[in-house]
Each structure stands twice: as structure tokens, then as C-alpha cells.
Amino acid sequence: MGASALLAGSAAGVVSVAFAGEVPVTVHAARVSASGVSASPSVSGRGGLLPALAVRMEQATVEDSCVTSTAHLPVIGAVTAVVRIERATATGLAVEAGKATARSVTLSGPQFSTPQVSLQEPTGLFTVGARKVSGTSVTTQPHSFTAGTITARGVVIELRRGADGCEPGAIR
């Protein structure tokens, strides 16, 4: 029915996280950087499958981000959760997203491969990767994500009535 998050951590701000749900989530970030990155076509979802890009990162850093999700609840109407994060780092991050945009992207050590059944018969799937990736003004709509650990600084969580969330460029 709604988004779900599993949080288990300590007062030091280290959190193990898994997220999957049917309520749309949008993430805006001023800056994103990652190492050990690979991405390939995938599907995600429960019941009705959605096309997705599965991205795996050994380590990732997100700066000045805002996560927003609006649920339409009976009787109450629209309720929006807004999570603002000054800086977060993650290890073992895997994201399945249907859409992502960025103002700029820089790749170091890019790689591309298409696995083949035989020399004449490619599988049709591909994998792109890079030793390091960085982007600015990044917006994504993840279907799900998992991480080994996430450490965050400057976290503010707010619930609001209505559908007003974060807008690109209005992170703070």
C-alpha cells in the first residue's frame, strides 16, 4: 500500500536501510559522487513490473538532498513526507530507478559490455560502469534501494498536509 523503510541504527547516525514501495518517491540532490559503479537494465515492482535501471555503487556521497513522497490517505487526503539531508554517505548502495536526470555528469574509467550467448547472438542487455561518477543537480525517482550502511548529517524530517514537496534547486 505505501512505502516502507526498515531502519536499524545507533545514535551515531549509522543506519542500515532498505526501501521498497508503491508510493512515488522523488530525490533531489545538489551533488552526488560514487565509486565502483555499475548499471544495467532491470525490472522492479510487486505484481506489475516496471522497467528500471539497476545501479550498484560500492560507495556513494549525496550532498544537499531532499527526499519527498506524497501518499493519498482516506479521510485525511494528501500527506507529504519531506526529508532534507545536508550530507549522506552510503556503502553497498543498490538503486532501481525508472528515471534520473542531472545537470552534469563526469565519469572516470567508464566501461561498457554486452554479454553474448554466442558471437552472433547478443543477449540484448548491457552493463555500463565507471571507477568514479559524479553529478550535479541530480533528480531521481527510485522504485527501491538497499544499502549496507548510510551515515547522514543534518537530517530534518517533516510531514505536511497537501502535495507540496521539494523542488529542484530548492534543497534548503
Side-chain angles (χ1 to χ4, degrees):
M1 180 163 126
S4 64
L6 303 174
L7 304 174
S10 70
V14 176
V15 181
S16 293
V17 177
F19 162 83
E22 295 174 15
V23 175
V25 173
T26 302
V27 179
H28 300 289
R31 288 168 300 287
V32 175
S33 58
S35 62
V37 179
S38 66
S40 59
S42 180
V43 293
S44 66
R46 298 181 198 164
L49 296 177
L50 300 171
L53 185 64
V55 181
R56 288 167 181 58
M57 296 159 266
E58 291 174 12
Q59 299 208 348
T61 300
V62 177
E63 297 178 62
D64 294 326
S65 65
C66 187
V67 181
T68 185
S69 181
T70 301
H72 296 277
L73 305 175
V75 180
I76 296 173
V79 175
T80 300
V82 176
V83 180
R84 296 178 190 281
I85 304 168
E86 184 179 317
R87 179 183 167 89
T89 57
T91 61
L93 182 62
V95 178
E96 289 181 348
K99 181 178 181 178
T101 61
R103 180 181 306 145
S104 67
V105 175
T106 302
L107 302 171
S108 298
Q111 304 167 352
F112 176 84
S113 66
T114 303
Q116 294 185 302
V117 175
S118 70
L119 290 176
Q120 293 78 26
E121 196 176 338
T123 63
L125 300 179
F126 62 88
T127 300
V128 293
R131 195 173 351 88
K132 292 186 179 183
V133 176
S134 62
T136 61
S137 297
V138 176
T139 299
T140 187
Q141 295 173 327
H143 298 302
S144 67
F145 79 82
T146 60
T149 60
I150 294 178
T151 304
R153 178 179 75 215
V155 178
V156 176
I157 301 171
E158 177 184 0
L159 292 174
R160 313 174 178 160
R161 284 188 114 161
D164 294 332
C166 306
E167 294 298 325
I171 306 298
R172 296 230 160 226

